[in-house]
Amino acid sequence: MGGKQIRIGQLIAPFGPGSIYTDRRGVPHVVCGLDHWFHRYDDARGFLACEDISEFQRFEPRLAALLHVHQFRSPPDFRTVRRGDQAPPNALLTVPAVRFPSWYRHTTTGRMKKFNLDAGRIPPAQGGGRWQPVRFVSVCEGGHLNEFPWKDWIGCTCPNDDGLHLFDFGGSELSSIRVSCDSCPEGSPGRKGKSLSGTTVRPNPAEQKPTAFEKEAIRCPGERPWLGSEATEESCSYPLVAALINQTNIYFPRTVSAILLPDLAEADDEIVALRNEIINDPACGTVKTLWKIQKTFAVSVMRDSLGKRGMRVDDAVIERALENVFDNPAGASQQDIKPAAPESELLAFRRSEFNMLRRSINDPDHVPDLRVINAAVPADLGPWIAKVNLVERLRETRVFFGFDRLEPNRNPLPDMPESAAKQLFRSPPQDPLEMWLPAVEVFGEGIYIELAEEGIAAWQQQNAEWLGHRLDDGFLVRVQGVYQTLPPAGEINRDWASRYLLVHSLAHVLINQFVFECGYSTAALRERLFVSSDAVAPMASFMIYTAAGDAEGTLGGLVRLARPESLSPLIRRALARASWCSADPVCSEKMGGQGSQLANLAACHACILLPETSCETINHGLDRAMVVGTPDNRGVGFMFGLISAFSW
């Protein structure tokens, strides 16, 4: 896709395999599966594999353990070959896409015609007008992406597609769009045609009513065009639903990210330096698997890989370094307090970052990819904020491991890596060592802010009645249903929910203010939340960091805002700005919930919602009132004291 201007990071989300991407000419394509990546096309020899795959290999030990995948690869960048110049390494690699939907409509006559998925160019239309892709496809919750069943929908039994016509009469509803077949006999259902009314209505399990397609006995054909024209899965049991090609709920990418954490256990300089080399070595994913099977063989493979890079290291030293990488969990320390209650895998994954980011880490020689500097907390913020750290350098790895349609999966990790292999590969690798997933690395900067536990406890106690009324049981269930909120393993309560809404909403409030101060756009900033109501080891902090370092750079514009002389007035301005929304008092009223899953309260696009790529929960689990109160009762907000002291 070298000519389509998709950034490498966008191939992780939102344009990963199986997604629909519309190019600048208005032609929709579906991004192909991973079998087709890292190949270039040669007119004489067809598709050829890239010369050196190690250039794109990445490894992140914690993500490898979480996803049970041993290799990650960065999507290839497209490198042209200029006439007369020597071709650069791995030139002309593309991430291919195929034309989808393949049905097109004549803009003048309404006639429909079907083209091949891999059609490179659509022939010009005859008699004026042009061929325009139809706007409708069909999907199911099983992840399939199909053509709209035009002929089945109208009951057409013609042996060819020549008579199909699609007319749009310009109304605001689907009843104004009608399809018919001129080749069907006079008086037949196909000749009469039918509108598309009701085809986009999803099934409601509570009502147990059949969908429009189910009434016509139209089942999901199980098509997977991103894997090729013959990659159909038979006997799909999920109901079929029509959708627009630009509908947001037909593709929910599954992504997970990790901050690279150093091992702070005591080790000599040689082991620490070699550990960093191993993590960045292309063979690290393979060695991780071998380490569990036969350590001697793993040491041999790593020795050979390091030798190719000109490094000569004794086997004993390599073995000690491999133990440091694979047997010692990064971020763990004897000083860290262990939670009293069991935690989910993802929450424990996030806690290790919490334990690291609240420290001071400033050793560029041994820890090159994470630098954390403790900053003084302004005295006037002490009742609310316990710790502020300047994260002057960080390395984040983001991995794409599948997608959902219509409804995001609430627990996608237990099926890994089988679910990703089945969904993203036409022919999944048989050898587990060869299994890989796309990933990108971002080097950036950030600000870590930790709220005062004493202040949170006092606020929850003083406003227990208000919190009990505002956070009803139905709302708690909906927030827990958003798995990205990383709720406790057991049942959630109002202590956790109020804590989560407070931390999450404050992060959004500050991001909206930071964009006016640091030079980054809103979409270039990202949040990372650390929330737990554990009785022994609670968490209530967040990090705001750059999410697009490859595009806008990291020149310290964000970190400098956390300096004491800047942070206090900045937070005051942010709270004053968030204390009133142009949609108030409606926005702040408790009316059952807002957002696509009714998991928000006081949150709308006029106040604290962010671009979906900036929010780790896709704008769910927010309530501005937790931070600044409501227009008729400011005192219930956690940081009301700062608002009341603000000089208007």
Side-chain angles (χ1 to χ4, degrees), residues 206-393:
E207 297 180 358
Q208 296 184 346
K209 292 183 179 180
T211 65
F213 287 139
E214 287 177 323
K215 292 178 181 178
E216 302 295 335
I218 301 175
R219 301 171 58 88
C220 174
E223 296 177 6
R224 300 186 295 172
W226 64 94
L227 299 181
S229 57
E230 299 179 358
T232 301
E233 288 186 317
E234 303 293 340
S235 65
C236 175
S237 60
Y238 291 95
L240 195 64
V241 179
L244 292 164
I245 58 174
N246 59 351
Q247 197 167 300
T248 57
N249 69 341
I250 67 173
Y251 189 79
F252 293 100
R254 297 179 184 176
T255 61
V256 63
S257 66
I259 305 298
L260 182 65
L261 303 182
D263 182 12
L264 298 185
E266 292 186 4
D268 57 53
D269 293 347
E270 184 180 15
I271 296 299
V272 173
L274 185 57
R275 179 187 190 277
N276 295 329
E277 293 291 341
I278 289 174
I279 289 177
N280 292 285
D281 193 279
C284 191
T286 303
V287 172
K288 179 181 183 295
T289 302
L290 297 175
W291 182 254
K292 300 178 181 179
I293 303 172
Q294 187 178 7
K295 294 186 177 182
T296 303
F297 189 31
V299 171
S300 175
V301 173
M302 180 52 68
R303 181 190 63 230
D304 294 342
S305 182
L306 293 173
K308 294 178 181 179
R309 298 163 56 193
M311 300 179 62
R312 299 290 182 266
V313 186
D314 292 339
D315 286 1
V317 177
I318 294 177
E319 184 172 357
R320 290 171 56 200
L322 292 178
E323 289 177 352
N324 190 284
V325 173
F326 300 133
D327 295 341
N328 297 329
S333 171
Q334 296 297 327
Q335 301 175 356
D336 297 332
I337 301 176
K338 303 297 188 293
E343 294 182 330
S344 66
E345 192 175 17
L346 282 174
L347 184 57
F349 187 83
R350 189 62 62 89
R351 182 178 288 277
S352 62
E353 297 179 1
F354 166 79
N355 290 331
M356 186 67 69
L357 292 174
R358 62 201 310 260
R359 295 191 179 105
S360 175
I361 303 172
N362 188 12
D363 189 358
D365 295 331
H366 294 159
V367 188
D369 292 327
L370 184 65
R371 185 182 184 191
V372 183
I373 307 298
N374 296 137
V377 178
D380 57 339
L381 300 182
W384 302 278
I385 296 178
K387 186 183 292 288
V388 176
N389 285 347
L390 313 179
V391 186
E392 296 190 348
R393 182 172 174 82

Side-chain angles (χ1 to χ4, degrees), residues 449 506-515 542 544 570-571 574:
I449 296 178
L506 180 58
H508 279 228
V509 167
L510 293 184
I511 288 177
N512 277 328
Q513 185 64 36
F514 282 173
V515 297
F542 58 89
I544 298 173
L570 187 150
I571 289 181

